Amino acid sequence: MDNILLVWDIDGTLIKSHGSGRKALDKAFFQVYGIEDAFLDIDMAGRIDAAIVGDALKKHRVELKEEFFIIYKEILKEVVKIKESVEVLPGIREILENAVKYKKIHHVLGTGNMIDGARIKLSSHELNSYFPTGGFGDQLMERWEVIKMAIEEGERHYNTKYEKENIYIVGDTPRDIECAKILGTKSIAVATGNYEYEVLKEHEPDYIFHDLLETKGFFHLL
């Protein structure tokens, strides 16, 4: 068995955060700019935090202030302390725990979340230890560039060069599937986010699941 790299999205794939990120962004924006519900009509699914915040700044015609992200992170820490704010999605913990048995299955994050936001969300259920590195949404770039960064960071961390057919992008949005096609890797779509199974299927992922409760099936495809 060759080395396999799984590149994981966070929101809607690993966890359901019930809008924790949006709540924290809204609260931080209000504290800094005095504008309520600043992110109400802004699309977030599968997008980069830097782009999402940029859309809000443009929409409300304000300039970025350095303290915004500092305040956002502090608020997010408080939001995720609420027990019901973040839940691990079906099958995820079982997959991560069982994958430890397979020394050649490696994990990284490939997320639109900025690195601190990603780590804060995953810390609520102690998931960070499974993901030593990854690509994140701190800088304004295309989603596929974040995934490319995740793969490169994974290769550095695990000291291995992965064949493209052994790299799997795991996500819950059409953007994740698109990234895999751009980069020539495999895609695993999971309908545990905002997109229904049939909608994701239309985008022709390599593999698709309603959820990841069928852990045997997941490992079988690898």
Side-chain angles (χ1 to χ4, degrees):
M1 177 176 167
D2 294 328
N3 288 324
I4 288 172
L5 185 68
L6 297 174
V7 184
W8 293 87
D9 174 53
I10 294 180
D11 296 293
T13 303
L14 290 172
I15 61 172
K16 184 178 280 294
S17 58
H18 299 287
S20 295
R22 188 186 293 271
K23 290 173 188 174
L25 286 169
D26 275 335
K27 288 183 178 181
F29 212 91
F30 178 71
Q31 282 195 29
V32 176
Y33 302 104
I35 298 172
E36 292 185 339
D37 298 323
F39 294 83
L40 183 62
D41 299 318
I42 293 176
D43 178 26
M44 293 188 176
R47 297 188 66 216
I48 307 302
D49 274 0
I52 291 167
V53 173
D55 284 355
L57 295 171
K58 183 178 179 181
K59 176 182 177 181
H60 301 291
R61 299 180 182 180
V62 293
E63 297 293 325
L64 179 63
K65 294 182 180 180
E66 191 174 332
E67 65 265 33
F68 173 76
F69 287 113
I70 297 172
I71 293 171
Y72 162 68
K73 287 182 281 188
E74 292 306 312
I75 292 173
L76 184 61
K77 287 178 185 177
E78 295 304 313
V79 171
V80 300
K81 284 180 182 177
I82 302 169
K83 185 178 179 181
E84 297 79 13
S85 64
V86 178
E87 64 177 294
V88 181
L89 284 164
I92 293 300
R93 194 174 294 280
E94 290 78 6
I95 286 173
L96 295 176
E97 289 175 353
N98 284 315
V100 175
K101 303 173 189 174
Y102 304 95
K103 301 300 182 183
K104 294 196 172 187
I105 297 178
H106 304 156
H107 305 282
V108 295
L109 295 169
T111 175
N113 285 273
M114 63 185 72
I115 186 168
D116 289 340
R119 294 304 185 185
I120 290 167
K121 288 180 180 179
L122 293 179
S123 69
S124 63
H125 287 277
E126 300 179 340
L127 294 179
N128 276 310
S129 62
Y130 296 103
F131 307 99
T133 189
F136 303 91
D138 295 77
Q139 300 176 17
L140 191 60
M141 59 177 71
E142 296 295 329
R143 175 80 181 195
W144 69 266
E145 293 176 300
V146 172
I147 303 302
K148 183 173 181 285
M149 182 195 305
I151 295 168
E152 291 169 351
E153 290 298 320
E155 290 181 332
R156 273 192 283 270
H157 178 83
Y158 292 107
N159 192 30
T160 187
K161 182 71 175 178
Y162 302 97
E163 298 296 331
K164 288 189 175 181
E165 62 266 26
N166 293 325
I167 301 172
Y168 296 81
I169 314 304
V170 190
D172 67 295
T173 75
R175 289 188 174 99
D176 299 298
I177 301 168
E178 179 186 9
C179 288
K181 290 180 179 179
I182 291 172
L183 295 170
T185 66
K186 299 287 185 64
S187 59
I188 300 175
V190 55
T192 46
N194 293 327
Y195 290 89
E196 294 181 357
Y197 183 95
E198 292 302 326
V199 174
L200 291 173
K201 191 174 180 180
E202 289 175 2
H203 291 267
E204 300 180 340
D206 292 289
Y207 306 98
I208 185 168
F209 293 85
H210 288 282
D211 57 45
L212 295 179
L213 270 174
E214 182 48 59
T215 57
K216 287 184 179 179
F218 183 84
F219 284 114
H220 179 72
L221 73 86
L222 301 180

